[in-house]
Amino acid sequence: MSKQPKVAIFMGSDSDFPVIEGCLKILKEFQVETRVNVCSAHRTPDKASELAKNAEKDGFDVIIAAAGKAAHLPGVLAAFTVLPVIGLPILSSTLDGLDSLLSIVQMPSGIPVATVAINGSENAALLAVQIMGGTYPELRAKMHDYKAKMAEAVEKKDRQLQEKLKGM
Ligand code: RP5
C-alpha cells in the first residue's frame, strides 16, 4: 500500500485546541491524515523530544506545532527531527501573541521553523499541504484547485461590489 500524507499536530496546551480546529478543517478537506497531541516544551519536555524523535519513523511528513506565551515547543521539536516544522503562534492574553510569535520565529541558524501568523492555523495547514505537494502529486493538484476556487470567490465579490457601486 502506498504511503498517505500525514501531519502531526502538537500543541502546548489543550487551551490551544480552538485554534487548531481551523487547521484540522483544512487538512480534512485535503484528506490528509492527522494526529493531535498536547505536549509542552516546559511541562512535558521528555514527551516533546520523544514525539519529535519518532515522528519520521511514525510516517509523518510535516509537524505543525502550536504554542503560546514563551512558545518554545516548535523550536524544541525542530531540534529533534529533520521533518519540516511549522510553528503556529497562539494569541496570548497579556501580550497579544507577540510573545508567542517572537519566541517561535527567532530560531538560531541551523534549526529552521517555518512560522505562520498569530492564530494563522489555516495557513499552517495550507503550508503543510504545499510542502507535501512535492511528494504527493494529488495534493499538488488539489492545491491548484483550492487557489482557483479562492480566485473565483474573490472575482464574484468584485462583481457584486461593482453592481452595488452602480446603484449608489
Ligand atoms: C503555552 O502556554 C500553551 O501553548 C498555551 O498557549 C499557553 C497557556 O497554557 P495553559 O496555561 O492554558 O495550559 O504553553
Side-chain angles (χ1 to χ4, degrees):
M1 207 176 79
S2 65
K3 192 184 166 318
Q4 293 301 305
K6 213 170 147 186
V7 170
I9 303 173
F10 300 133
M11 54 188 174
S13 168
D14 62 335
S15 65
D16 299 327
F17 189 68
V19 179
I20 291 300
E21 283 180 299
C23 232
L24 287 172
K25 186 174 163 280
I26 296 278
L27 291 171
K28 195 172 172 196
E29 208 176 307
F30 280 88
Q31 293 172 305
V32 171
E33 197 183 323
T34 53
R35 162 187 178 168
V36 186
N37 287 102
V38 176
C39 128
S40 163
H42 310 112
R43 295 167 178 156
T44 59
D46 289 338
K47 180 179 177 181
S49 68
E50 283 310 308
L51 285 173
K53 281 178 200 167
N54 291 328
E56 198 182 342
K57 86 166 169 46
D58 288 346
F60 293 103
D61 297 287
V62 178
I63 294 174
I64 294 174
K69 300 184 173 178
H72 299 141
L73 182 63
V76 166
L77 296 172
F80 288 106
T81 183
V82 297
L83 293 179
V85 175
I86 300 172
L88 170 54
I90 300 290
L91 181 70
S92 55
S93 51
T94 44
L95 294 173
D96 289 339
L98 197 56
D99 44 354
S100 320
L101 175 66
L102 296 180
S103 303
I104 294 176
V105 79
Q106 289 293 1
M107 286 298 293
S109 60
I111 309 289
V113 167
T115 310
V116 295
I118 298 165
N119 277 6
S121 64
E122 293 190 357
N123 270 0
L126 291 170
L127 183 57
V129 168
Q130 287 180 326
I131 291 169
M132 294 188 294
T135 312
Y136 304 98
E138 70 276 15
L139 282 185
R140 179 66 55 87
K142 282 181 193 168
M143 199 65 217
H144 279 290
D145 287 349
Y146 183 89
K147 285 208 160 186
K149 280 190 190 129
M150 195 165 50
E152 230 170 74
V154 172
E155 286 310 312
K156 189 178 168 194
K157 282 178 190 164
D158 187 48
R159 282 195 299 275
Q160 286 167 346
L161 175 70
Q162 299 315 314
E163 285 307 313
K164 192 176 165 182
L165 289 170
K166 271 187 213 163
M168 286 177 95

